[in-house]
Amino acid sequence: MSNYRKPAGGSSSQPVSVGQVAPEDATAVAVAGGSLQEVSLRTYRLSHSYLLLLFLPTHGPAVDRLSDSGSDLFDEFHAVSADMVKELHDQHKTYVVGVVDASVDQVQRWMDTPASRGGLQELPFPVICDGAGRFSCHFAGVWNAKAELLHRAHVILDDKGVVRQLTINDAMVSRSVGELYRQLTAFRFTDEHGEVCPADWNSGDAGLAPDPEASRAYFREKYPTEAAESGDNK
């Protein structure tokens, strides 16, 4: 039996995971540049855009311990620079949206507070206010219904609304912005070229064609010494 418990007012559908289509009716209120806007997954899908959702818990025991250690609550959000947001949009047709488990009023206060004082002023992407989990509950494992808070997670949706990546961290371990960028560009690459992104692939690297002979050529080029020693260098 599923442990899923829908927050009041949320969707009746079961949460989705990798390979499944996110519900188009998933909507939420977000704060962007000091003003309110509605975020709808349907809008991104209709524009054939990719979407990176960054889920960030703002309360709970783990967050309290991080705060006591002097850690910036929003350091992961601030690490996603305006230049990165612009590059993802202009070159990869990808949008970035943050999600926090807080009210609209609280998020607006953070948006009015400079980063030097622990706020989100001048953040280059919108932040969804999801204090009741009505948006986050659409994604498997992201919303902790019992504790009524978010897990530290990120979701990548492709231009068809399919969940391509869903990663959940313990709240004590932050994410690497470089890895987020690598994952986004890898999915875009494989969708555009039909090739596989092998281990440690980075933007600008060659892909791996899903063909045995092409794969041999790729590995001969990547490991020339080993190929020569084995006689497989032709």
Side-chain angles (χ1 to χ4, degrees):
M1 180 179 294
S2 172
N3 293 321
Y4 170 69
R5 180 163 64 90
K6 177 177 69 69
S11 169
S12 61
S13 62
Q14 290 290 302
V16 296
S17 190
V18 173
Q20 297 177 312
V21 178
E24 287 190 349
D25 63 350
T27 61
V29 174
V31 181
S35 61
L36 299 182
Q37 67 179 48
E38 182 181 74
V39 172
S40 168
L41 295 188
R42 177 178 174 80
T43 300
Y44 295 104
R45 183 174 178 180
L46 289 177
S47 67
H48 305 290
S49 300
Y50 277 59
L51 178 63
L52 169 62
L53 294 167
L54 293 173
F55 297 87
L56 184 70
T58 61
H59 61 93
V63 173
D64 292 341
R65 289 198 294 274
L66 286 172
S67 178
D68 292 341
S69 72
S71 176
D72 179 3
L73 175 62
F74 301 114
D75 59 350
E76 288 183 314
F77 279 4
H78 293 307
V80 181
S81 67
D83 287 342
M84 178 178 172
V85 172
K86 185 177 188 303
E87 179 183 340
L88 287 173
H89 177 268
D90 294 349
Q91 298 185 25
H92 304 287
K93 204 174 183 182
T94 298
Y95 289 88
V96 180
V97 176
V99 186
V100 297
D101 46 7
S103 67
V104 172
D105 289 343
Q106 180 61 72
V107 175
Q108 286 183 310
R109 286 195 292 271
W110 283 326
M111 286 290 193
D112 291 336
T113 303
S116 60
R117 293 171 51 196
L120 289 170
Q121 197 173 77
E122 299 184 1
L123 194 72
F125 53 87
V127 175
I128 288 174
C129 316
D130 198 31
R134 294 173 182 169
F135 178 83
S136 305
C137 70
H138 290 292
F139 302 97
V142 171
W143 177 252
N144 184 334
K146 183 177 181 180
E148 297 187 341
L149 52 79
L150 284 172
H151 289 295
R152 190 184 298 273
H154 71 270
V155 172
I156 296 174
L157 300 177
D158 67 15
D159 54 357
K160 297 179 179 60
V162 177
V163 178
R164 303 295 292 277
Q165 178 82 23
L166 194 163
T167 300
I168 301 174
N169 285 14
D170 182 277
M172 295 295 288
V173 178
S174 297
R175 290 158 288 199
S176 164
V177 171
E179 177 60 12
L180 291 175
Y181 180 84
R182 191 194 75 84
Q183 290 175 356
L184 281 164
T185 54
F187 286 123
R188 292 294 296 181
F189 177 89
T190 191
D191 286 350
E192 292 172 10
H193 299 280
E195 296 181 346
V196 175
C197 293
D200 298 324
W201 183 94
N202 282 286
S203 181
D205 291 350
L208 181 59
D211 172 81
E213 185 53 41
S215 297
R216 289 183 62 191
Y218 171 88
F219 286 112
R220 283 197 299 268
E221 181 178 347
K222 186 172 183 178
Y223 304 108
T225 301
E226 290 85 343
E229 290 176 351
S230 66
D232 187 23
N233 57 354
K234 297 180 181 181

